[in-house]
Amino acid sequence: MKQTFLLILLLSFIPRMLTAQAKPIQEEKFIKIGGIEQWVTISGEDQSKPVILFLHGGPGSTMSQYDDAIYGSWKKDFVLVYWDQRGAGRTFGRNAPEIVTEDYWMETPLTLEQMTADGVELAEYLTRHLVKRKIALVGTSWGSVLGAKMALARPDLFSAYIGHSQVVNFYEGLTHAYNSVSAMAQNAKDQESLDKLKTLGPPPYEDARKEGQLMRVIKKYERQNSIPAPASWWKLASAYDNEKDAKDRYNGDDYSFLYSAGHKKMGIKSMMAGANFMKDGLHYKIPVFFIQGEEDILTPKELTKAYFDKVKAPKKEYVLVPGAAHGHNQAVIDAQLKAVKKLLNLR
């Protein structure tokens, strides 16, 4: 009887002992990647948990500056890594001159190959630094181009790839979007948008400003047909709420978009032009999960579903999220969490 009591007492202490052993991690620092210093943050309540590397969209739309309203609750189950990619946010600010000119833009190119190599080098660092065999990738929009390229190039580094607003063939998608918003504007008798679209003409463009103008029309119609994210999600963390960080984000966003869209007059080639996963991205050696907003105009469901149907992978799944457009909202975050837990065999 005494032995039974002692056994029960011992077992009751085990959960508390395991909890006490959890070692949190909170790192924010520049890491040498691809020959330059790049900003990376790592956080979680227990560094023994699986690691997720988030690849932001844009390119240039960094995530590290926001408070934990979006993914903060994930820290109990995962170690979260945000990365200000080459040309964006604090990475841009660390490496750009004090005065950013057009000469700097033209003399410091961004390429899909270099960005992919940066991502792979970061993943190698994370596996060593955090003592992990593999990490999970979550990429959004432009980040889905980077994520797919990384997953296809080095499957040995990754446990799973979750693509949200997955780019398949950017210019085919942009042409589809142009036709979609043209039809929407026609149905809505939106003469202002119709005039703008007529002036622009169908893509692709040789002037980045034209692509930017088309994006504004696309976003206008996405907002009308989707459920937005709470405004509280985009609150800046206090450490990033200052003039220098704001300037670096602004300049980095312009610089990154210029190389995303391309600008012939300045001799700048589009990074997106080299992305066609229907041609060279159909065979994954790791599980893949595609999360698609039903109201996404920029990366439309027609193209992502056609791509998903052709993809070969050990495990794959496609989720269409009602009420979601190209960006994040609560339903998208919920779908991402479900996907990560499913692919990593977590409850």
Side-chain angles (χ1 to χ4, degrees):
M1 184 72 178
K2 185 177 179 181
Q3 289 178 331
T4 303
F5 174 76
L6 289 174
L7 180 60
I8 293 171
L9 187 64
L10 177 63
L11 290 173
S12 71
F13 276 108
I14 288 176
R16 278 177 281 179
M17 290 167 61
L18 292 175
T19 302
Q21 291 172 357
K23 188 177 179 182
I25 184 168
Q26 182 69 45
E27 297 181 359
E28 299 181 347
K29 58 188 177 183
F30 287 101
I31 298 170
K32 196 73 169 289
I33 302 169
I36 65 170
E37 290 191 313
Q38 304 197 33
W39 183 249
V40 176
T41 70
I42 305 172
S43 59
E45 294 178 11
D46 182 353
Q47 59 183 272
S48 71
K49 298 291 187 179
V51 177
I52 301 175
L53 170 58
F54 290 95
L55 303 173
H56 64 71
S61 300
T62 54
M63 294 288 290
S64 59
Q65 70 270 23
Y66 296 121
D67 274 340
D68 284 337
I70 305 176
Y71 292 107
S73 64
W74 292 30
K75 291 185 182 182
K76 65 180 184 295
D77 296 315
F78 305 99
V79 175
L80 310 183
V81 181
Y82 297 129
W83 165 39
D84 287 14
Q85 298 160 18
R86 182 182 295 261
R90 286 191 169 179
T91 298
F92 178 85
R94 186 74 159 191
N95 297 284
E98 183 70 24
I99 305 298
V100 178
T101 64
E102 288 189 2
D103 285 341
Y104 175 77
W105 287 346
M106 292 185 287
E107 293 166 3
T108 316
L110 291 177
T111 67
L112 179 54
E113 292 75 21
Q114 178 64 69
M115 301 281 276
T116 303
D118 285 352
V120 167
E121 188 174 339
L122 173 58
E124 290 174 334
Y125 167 84
L126 292 170
T127 56
R128 291 193 309 270
H129 180 61
L130 300 173
V131 195
K132 304 292 183 183
R133 196 168 68 86
K134 295 186 176 186
I135 64 175
L137 275 178
V138 176
T140 290
S141 189
W142 152 258
S144 76
V145 176
L146 208 50
K149 285 286 186 181
M150 290 164 61
L152 289 162
R154 289 292 304 276
D156 58 301
L157 290 170
F158 306 111
S159 54
Y161 168 59
I162 295 92
H164 164 233
S165 297
Q166 179 67 47
V167 175
V168 178
N169 178 334
F170 182 74
Y171 285 117
E172 183 181 357
L174 201 62
T175 299
H176 189 285
Y178 177 89
N179 293 333
S180 295
V181 291
S182 295
M184 291 175 180
Q186 189 70 50
N187 291 337
K189 296 182 173 55
D190 178 2
Q191 196 58 48
E192 181 183 356
S193 293
L194 288 170
D195 290 343
K196 174 61 68 179
L197 292 166
K198 183 177 180 181
T199 300
L200 291 174
Y205 305 119
E206 296 180 342
D207 186 327
R209 289 169 296 190
K210 287 188 174 183
E211 188 169 309
Q213 290 169 346
L214 175 57
M215 291 291 190
R216 284 193 282 275
V217 179
I218 292 169
K219 288 179 181 178
K220 172 183 175 179
Y221 278 95
E222 285 196 339
R223 283 194 298 269
Q224 290 181 10
N225 297 296
S226 62
I227 300 168
S232 61
W233 282 13
W234 314 120
K235 180 185 176 184
L236 291 176
S238 58
Y240 295 81
D241 193 5
N242 59 74
E243 186 176 346
K244 174 170 172 45
D245 276 312
K247 179 182 176 183
D248 291 340
R249 288 192 299 271
Y250 180 85
N251 285 336
D253 190 54
D254 279 354
Y255 169 63
S256 298
F257 180 74
L258 198 61
Y259 274 95
S260 170
H263 196 78
K264 185 176 182 180
K265 188 176 179 181
M266 296 172 67
I268 292 175
K269 295 181 179 180
S270 166
M271 291 193 292
M272 290 293 198
N276 181 356
F277 294 109
M278 274 294 197
K279 179 181 178 183
D280 57 12
L282 294 174
H283 299 278
Y284 291 84
K285 294 181 179 179
I286 61 173
V288 293
F289 210 112
F290 296 112
I291 297 170
Q292 171 68 38
E294 190 169 16
E295 305 301 331
D296 187 338
I297 298 171
L298 185 58
T299 51
K301 57 183 179 289
E302 292 84 358
L303 297 189
T304 54
K305 184 59 165 64
Y307 175 57
F308 170 81
D309 288 343
K310 288 184 176 293
V311 160
K312 304 295 182 185
K315 182 188 294 184
K316 67 175 186 175
E317 194 163 335
Y318 178 91
V319 175
L320 189 63
V321 184
H326 188 69
H328 294 82
N329 67 9
Q330 188 60 57
V332 167
I333 302 302
D334 293 343
Q336 288 179 329
L337 181 58
K338 185 177 180 180
V340 173
K341 287 188 170 183
K342 188 171 186 177
L343 290 173
L344 299 183
N345 297 313
L346 301 174
R347 287 187 175 182

